[in-house]
């Protein structure tokens, strides 16, 4: 995969206090200001990005926010690795990097409690699953620049697994999908900030 945009990725999932600052809403059923925001639909995550981008400070700095595409999400999750997890193939190490079925006691945890991936991103494996921009569909069979997902479908991609999932569902490649109006206690999101550099930019 090849990306011609510079993407500044959230180091962690959008928290409840961050969501409240932008949306003046507290949708999560399992409360905690530093916990990932949950019970947010795909449409509401999109509205969060729109409002954050429209903030006068962000507009003045020409910062634009959106959900990551599925390809961007996996690229970030892997952090330059090619193994099943960003830390390697040993599934038993997941307890050090993420909250999942075996160590979370059926609840989310504050962000940045587990080890980051090689690029310094936290909670890519577990804690809460994350909305992506794309519709859920088959992968393309050819390499693309700045790839996006399916043009048709009834569900949007979710990635990363959650505190309710087995380790195998928290792998870098594990995929899920939900309809855009879905609100779940184990589903949140993170954002990317996009800087366009043009087609001749260094890769």
């Amino acid at each position: 995969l090849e990306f011609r945009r510079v993407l500044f990725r959230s180091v962690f999932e959008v928290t409840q206090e961050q969501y409240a600052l932008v949306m003046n809403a507290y949708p999560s059923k399992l409360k905690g200001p530093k916990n990932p925001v949950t019970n947010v639909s795909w449409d509401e995550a999109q509205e969060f990005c729109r409002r954050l981008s429209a903030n006068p400070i962000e507009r003045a700095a020409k910062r634009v926010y959106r959900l990551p595409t599925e390809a961007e999400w996996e690229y970030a999750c892997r952090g330059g690795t090619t193994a099943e997890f960003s830390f390697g193939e040993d599934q038993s190490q997941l307890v050090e990097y993420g909250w999942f079925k075996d160590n979370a006691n059926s609840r989310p945890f504050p962000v940045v409690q587990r080890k980051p991936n090689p690029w310094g991103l936290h909670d890519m494996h577990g804690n809460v699953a994350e909305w992506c921009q794309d519709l859920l569909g088959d992968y393309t069979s050819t390499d693309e620049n700045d790839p996006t997902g399916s043009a048709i479908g009834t569900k949007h991609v979710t990635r990363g697994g959650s505190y309710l999932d087995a380790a195998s569902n928290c792998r870098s490649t594990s995929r899920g999908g939900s309809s855009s109006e879905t609100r779940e206690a184990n589903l949140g999101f993170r954002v990317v900030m996009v800087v366009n550099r043009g087609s001749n930019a260094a890769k």
Side-chain angles (χ1 to χ4, degrees):
L1 299 179
E2 185 175 316
F3 294 94
R4 297 189 184 277
R5 294 183 297 268
V6 177
L7 302 173
F8 293 90
R9 303 166 180 87
S10 300
V11 172
F12 48 82
E13 296 145 333
V14 173
T15 65
Q16 294 179 27
E17 64 182 359
Q18 290 174 330
Y19 190 84
L21 283 171
V22 175
M23 301 290 284
N24 193 30
Y26 303 84
S28 303
K29 303 300 183 185
L30 301 170
K31 304 295 186 185
K34 301 295 184 182
N35 286 3
V37 69
T38 57
N39 300 96
V40 173
S41 70
W42 184 87
D43 293 324
E44 289 162 340
Q46 293 282 7
E47 179 63 11
F48 174 93
C49 293
R50 189 195 68 78
R51 292 191 191 185
L52 180 58
S53 299
N55 178 280
I57 295 175
E58 303 302 322
R59 289 184 64 185
K62 298 182 179 180
R63 294 191 285 255
V64 177
Y65 300 87
R66 61 167 172 78
L67 295 177
T69 66
E70 181 177 18
E72 290 165 352
W73 190 97
E74 184 172 326
Y75 186 75
C77 179
R78 288 183 176 279
T81 70
T82 58
E84 287 290 299
F85 298 90
S86 63
F87 51 82
E89 301 287 354
D90 185 359
Q91 186 171 291
S92 67
Q93 294 185 42
L94 182 56
V95 295
E96 301 179 33
Y97 290 85
W99 300 107
F100 65 114
K101 185 177 180 180
D102 290 1
N103 68 346
N105 197 27
S106 300
R107 66 183 180 89
F109 282 79
V111 298
V112 196
Q113 297 277 307
R114 305 282 88 180
K115 291 181 179 179
N117 77 358
W119 288 354
L121 306 178
H122 292 263
D123 298 308
M124 299 298 294
H125 304 294
N127 211 7
V128 299
E130 301 176 17
W131 287 115
C132 291
Q133 185 76 15
D134 307 8
L135 289 167
L136 182 64
D138 293 334
Y139 280 123
T140 178
S141 60
T142 59
D143 291 335
E144 297 181 17
N145 295 332
D146 299 329
T148 57
S150 175
I152 58 173
T154 59
K155 295 182 178 181
H156 286 280
V157 174
T158 61
R159 284 296 206 119
S162 78
Y163 61 84
L164 294 177
D165 287 307
S168 60
N169 291 331
C170 299
R171 294 172 294 126
S172 300
T173 56
S174 184
R175 309 173 77 206
S178 293
S179 59
S180 61
E181 67 272 13
T182 298
R183 297 180 181 88
E184 298 287 353
N186 65 330
L187 178 58
F189 67 101
R190 74 178 69 212
V191 300
V192 295
M193 183 182 72
V194 184
V195 178
N196 290 306
R197 294 178 61 180
S199 60
N200 294 321
K203 296 184 277 290

